[in-house]
Amino acid sequence: MSTTTSHPSEPDGPADGPADGPARPARLIQNEATTEIPVHLLFRDDPDPAPVPLKPAVVGRRHGTGEQPRLRRPAAPKRQVPQVDPDLAERPARVLPGAVGVLAGACGAVGCVATSWWAGVLPPLAGEALRLPVYAGTGLGLAQWAAYAGAGALGLFGLGGLARGRTGRAWVLDLFGRYRGTVRRSGLLWVNPLLLRRRVDVRLRHWRSEPVPAADGSGVALRVVVLVVWRVRDTARATLGVEDHEAYLRECVEAGLTRVPVEMPGGPRGAGDAAGEALTRLVAADAAPVGLEVFSVQPVRVEYAPEVAAAMHRCRIAALDAQHRASVLTSVVDSVEDTVTRLTVRGLVELDDYERKALVKDLTVAFCAGRGETAP
């Protein structure tokens, strides 16, 4: 690109070309620095340029504009909810009606009696009571002992598995540490006696806590007693997912109180309900993975911590005293103003500025003294 310089006085017009070719107008663009660029160089018919690979734009500070770079705030880390074994979930256990266990126990007892009669060791009185024919017996041999063992095992297995299911109670069954199901049925049942049974209360329950440390919106230490309404929803996770689900629930409530500010009674309207709703959401989210369903967490008593109770009591007494003094002073000023206005309006006295100030002073002292004497 060529650059030429021309004087501002020269008009823009066609320039003389070479003698052997056609004349081409040299139209120029002139800027403030008297630098001119031929226009035909800006609009040349060049072939399409090769594509330029684009790079990711980097947003930075633009010099000379005063604009500050836009900084992206790091995303707040999501609150992690505790998780337990995803394969651990409540499922019904295989149980039989209680009549099966009773029948098996009766069969075992009958087998023991029949084996004793067969071996000839049945007492005569028992034989007469059962109306069995007299039989000398073959004695206790290997066959008799095997029959004894089979009948006794059947009777023990049948009677040992009998259990009574109650409404609102459940059994969590496991065999050698492996979860085998949950029994929520009521009535007489037969459960495999080899399974370990753990009783779980699945009724709707409430728990009133002891005073738990907390804080209000200003960071003042408090002691809060909360009432929690909850129940066990998944017995497998509540029993096998944690060591003690009741202790876990207490810890969740204490952790929630450290994150939710609680206001003293008499604070802003709706502050107590908002704190209860926030506590319920937090505790329910923490307790859900272990099979607990939390319906409500409400503060029922809020008081200052012992280390700040005395200081807050003094502050409240001082505030009440200041409020009382302000009300008394307002009443005295109104009374003095009304008295002076009536005396002057009715023409009972004529006062100049000095006398008016003296009268106001005397009336104020008198009214304050009278209020002090009549005050309880």
Side-chain angles (χ1 to χ4, degrees), residues 99-112 151-152 154-160 162 190:
V100 176
V102 174
L103 180 61
C107 291
V110 171
C112 290
L154 179 62
L156 292 177
F157 200 74
L159 297 178
L162 292 177
W190 184 85

Side-chain angles (χ1 to χ4, degrees), residues 230-248:
W230 64 286
R231 71 176 179 182
V232 176
R233 179 176 51 84
D234 192 314
T235 56
R237 293 188 175 186
T239 306
L240 305 176
V242 290
E243 183 176 359
D244 187 352
H245 60 272
E246 295 183 1
Y248 180 82

Side-chain angles (χ1 to χ4, degrees), residues 32-232:
E32 296 178 358
T34 65
T35 302
E36 299 177 355
I37 303 175
V39 177
H40 67 278
L41 296 180
L42 299 178
F43 302 94
R44 291 183 301 177
D45 297 333
D46 295 335
D48 295 336
V52 180
L54 300 179
K55 297 182 180 180
V58 179
V59 178
R61 180 176 179 178
R62 292 189 289 180
H63 297 283
T65 61
E67 181 181 352
Q68 298 296 329
R70 297 181 180 180
L71 300 178
R72 294 183 178 178
R73 295 182 179 179
K78 294 184 178 180
R79 180 170 165 267
Q80 296 182 355
V81 179
Q83 297 293 336
V84 296
D85 188 0
D87 298 332
L88 184 62
E90 179 180 333
R91 62 178 183 271
R94 297 178 180 178
V95 296
L96 299 176
V100 176
V102 174
L103 180 61
C107 291
V110 171
C112 290
V113 172
T115 303
S116 299
W117 177 78
W118 179 28
V121 295
L122 185 68
L125 295 179
E128 294 178 0
L130 296 176
R131 297 179 182 182
L132 296 176
V134 179
Y135 180 66
T138 59
L140 293 175
L142 182 61
Q144 287 76 14
W145 285 114
Y148 268 127
L154 179 62
L156 292 177
F157 200 74
L159 297 178
L162 292 177
R164 186 184 64 172
R166 299 175 57 184
T167 303
R169 302 293 179 90
W171 284 310
V172 176
L173 309 179
D174 67 270
L175 179 63
F176 305 117
R178 184 180 180 183
Y179 175 63
R180 305 298 296 178
T182 299
V183 180
R184 287 181 177 260
R185 297 169 55 182
S186 58
L188 187 62
L189 306 172
W190 184 85
V191 184
N192 188 348
L194 299 179
L195 299 176
L196 178 63
R197 311 174 191 174
R198 300 184 183 184
R199 187 181 293 273
V200 182
D201 191 346
V202 295
R203 297 174 295 180
L204 186 66
R205 304 168 64 183
H206 71 277
W207 169 61
R208 186 185 180 94
S209 71
E210 298 294 329
V212 183
D216 61 3
S218 302
V220 179
L222 303 175
R223 289 291 185 272
V224 181
V225 177
V226 296
L227 181 65
V228 184
V229 181
W230 64 286
R231 71 176 179 182
V232 176

